Amino acid sequence: MKIDPIYKKLTEAFGISSREEDIKTIVLEEIEKYPNYEIVKDNLGSIFAYKKSKNLNAKTIMIAGHMDEVGLMISDIRPNGAIKVIPIGGLIPEVFISQLLYVHTPSKDIPGIIGSVPPHLSKDQKVSFEDMVLDVGLKNKEEVLKAGIEIGQMVLPKTNFIYSHNQERVIAKAVDNRWGVGMALELVRDCYDKDYEFNLAIGATVQEEIGLRGAGTITYKISPDMFIALDASPLNDLLDPNASGKMDEGFLVRLYDPSNIMRPSLFSYFKEVAKNNEIKHQIYFSKGGTDAAKAQYNKDGVVSTTIGLPARYIHSTVSMFSIHDHMSAHKMIRALLNDITNDKITYLQEN
């Protein structure tokens, strides 16, 4: 069982928040394959394919993944060649200990290690980003700068996109949220020759991991009536069987997170569409938010929610998701577009 190659291309690319250039290139190249879309951008870097309906009173649906991944940024270069880093997005420092990482420079990726101090030398203290240094094997600051390494560059692992032994799960970095970007780009392809009674905007935002910033600017520009985030959500089902969300149980209907709660009418509608189309799904309670949280505040309010992918080990150097759950989300977003109408969007806005 395989999924579209676009996911491999996206997850193996580098792009922390505010450094999404390589991902923007991929997104733009894919959208430009379908010239009947208008390409809409904002000044932060979000990119969307927009298809206007022939209906003069059409509502607008917006569907988005976010381009950025969590990672590290160079904050200082010491005289002895040690490189200091800061986290971009929510990260636990322990995931980088004893990891092979790469500084992304304009000409090449330079390998280095955030080393593990052996017990002979350690003070048995908790790891913090303040205590960590990246060692690229160069003797001093002059050599580091000569290699093309500068403050502000991103530092990330090179994790290959692979399938699990049973071919039913994907192991990759940046599943949060290159998965959502890949799903959006597949949707751009599949909606290319379809006419809807509503306007449709499909694409990818930037800077989600540092405050949902891109969603704020692009929703202001496009002004949707309904916003659907496509995003990966964390699982802890191996260690805690009672935790919200389980692998292989279908896409996540995100009923609650601290910044966005599905209104009852929308919750009922999602369950109805999933049931009528025999799409496996599960109700999910989250401790974090998605772009849907920011989109809901646009102008006089937007009907906003998330179609979620259950994913283990997000916000680390490697994650895992089930192809079965991927396909549930894949079916759900298409079933939703085939079912929704302008009148139904109006009902959801008013109830």
Side-chain angles (χ1 to χ4, degrees):
M1 189 184 299
K2 304 282 186 178
I3 62 175
D4 194 286
I6 191 64
Y7 296 94
K8 172 178 171 64
K9 188 174 183 180
L10 286 165
T11 57
E12 291 185 353
F14 277 21
I16 61 171
S17 307
S18 81
R19 298 290 188 274
E20 299 99 339
E21 288 80 11
D22 291 349
I23 317 305
K24 292 177 193 175
T25 299
I26 296 171
V27 170
L28 200 55
E29 286 176 351
E30 291 297 315
I31 293 176
E32 286 176 341
K33 293 178 182 178
Y34 308 98
N36 66 338
Y37 288 108
E38 176 189 351
I39 296 175
V40 179
K41 304 177 185 179
D42 66 13
N43 293 333
L44 288 188
S46 299
I47 303 173
F48 279 75
Y50 183 81
K51 178 183 282 192
K52 189 171 181 62
S53 172
K54 297 174 183 177
N55 187 334
L56 296 178
N57 299 313
K59 300 286 188 177
T60 299
I61 297 178
M62 195 169 174
I63 301 169
H66 69 83
M67 299 185 212
D68 53 321
E69 63 187 297
V70 295
L72 304 175
M73 178 184 285
I74 295 176
S75 60
D76 190 24
I77 302 171
R78 299 257 172 102
N80 65 355
I83 297 172
K84 297 294 291 180
V85 294
I86 60 170
I88 302 299
L91 285 162
I92 298 172
E94 285 85 353
V95 302
F96 294 105
I97 297 298
S98 196
Q99 294 286 326
L100 175 61
L101 302 173
Y102 290 82
V103 180
H104 191 61
T105 77
S107 60
K108 57 187 172 181
D109 295 330
I110 297 175
I113 304 167
I114 292 184
S116 173
V117 178
H120 315 65
L121 304 175
S122 71
K123 300 177 183 178
D124 194 29
Q125 61 184 10
K126 186 175 180 180
V127 176
S128 70
F129 284 108
E130 287 76 16
D131 299 322
M132 288 167 44
V133 293
L134 176 69
D135 182 356
V136 294
L138 299 174
K139 296 176 183 177
N140 51 50
K141 183 174 183 178
E142 183 181 357
E143 283 195 3
V144 171
L145 294 174
K146 189 175 180 180
I149 297 173
E150 299 177 357
I151 290 173
Q153 290 171 339
M154 57 184 163
V155 179
L156 286 166
K158 285 191 174 181
T159 306
N160 292 332
F161 176 103
I162 61 173
Y163 290 93
S164 61
H165 177 69
N166 62 5
Q167 301 291 297
E168 294 184 8
R169 293 175 181 178
V170 169
I171 299 170
K173 80 165 181 67
V175 171
D176 179 12
N177 185 33
R178 303 292 159 63
W179 170 80
V181 177
M183 184 65 72
L185 292 176
E186 281 202 86
L187 203 59
V188 168
R189 175 198 66 205
D190 294 348
C191 294
Y192 170 69
D193 57 355
K194 295 184 179 180
D195 292 321
Y196 296 104
E197 65 175 70
F198 45 83
N199 305 319
L200 182 60
I202 312 168
T205 63
V206 296
Q207 300 191 38
E208 191 267 2
E209 297 291 0
I210 53 172
L212 317 177
R213 297 175 186 177
T217 52
I218 196 66
T219 52
Y220 183 84
K221 185 166 189 174
I222 292 177
S223 193
D225 297 283
M226 185 175 188
F227 182 96
I228 301 170
L230 304 171
D231 209 339
S233 299
L235 292 187
N236 192 28
D237 56 327
L238 280 187
L239 293 176
D240 183 3
N242 296 317
S244 187
K246 292 179 174 59
M247 195 166 280
D248 296 324
E249 291 299 316
F251 82 91
L252 302 174
V253 179
R254 185 183 280 238
L255 174 58
Y256 168 89
D257 70 42
S259 303
N260 185 285
I261 304 174
M262 287 184 83
R263 61 179 66 189
S265 60
L266 184 60
F267 182 49
S268 296
Y269 178 59
F270 260 54
K271 290 189 295 180
E272 176 188 335
V273 171
K275 181 180 178 181
N276 290 345
N277 290 275
E278 299 181 340
I279 302 171
K280 201 169 186 179
H281 61 285
Q282 49 189 316
I283 311 306
Y284 184 72
F285 290 77
S286 177
K287 295 180 180 179
T290 73
D291 277 338
K294 180 68 73 173
Q296 70 181 334
Y297 297 121
N298 186 59
K299 297 185 179 178
D300 57 349
V302 178
V303 177
S304 301
T305 193
T306 302
I307 291 179
L309 173 77
R312 292 176 181 163
Y313 324 121
I314 67 169
H315 285 225
S316 71
T317 57
V318 62
S319 305
M320 178 187 292
F321 66 90
S322 163
I323 296 177
H324 301 292
D325 295 332
H326 164 82
M327 292 309 302
S328 293
H330 190 277
K331 293 175 184 175
M332 179 60 185
I333 189 62
R334 286 154 181 77
L336 190 69
L337 288 178
N338 289 333
D339 185 86
I340 197 79
T341 63
N342 289 318
D343 288 343
K344 288 180 180 179
I345 295 171
T346 299
Y347 174 82
L348 293 172
Q349 289 175 315
E350 296 176 351
N351 294 274

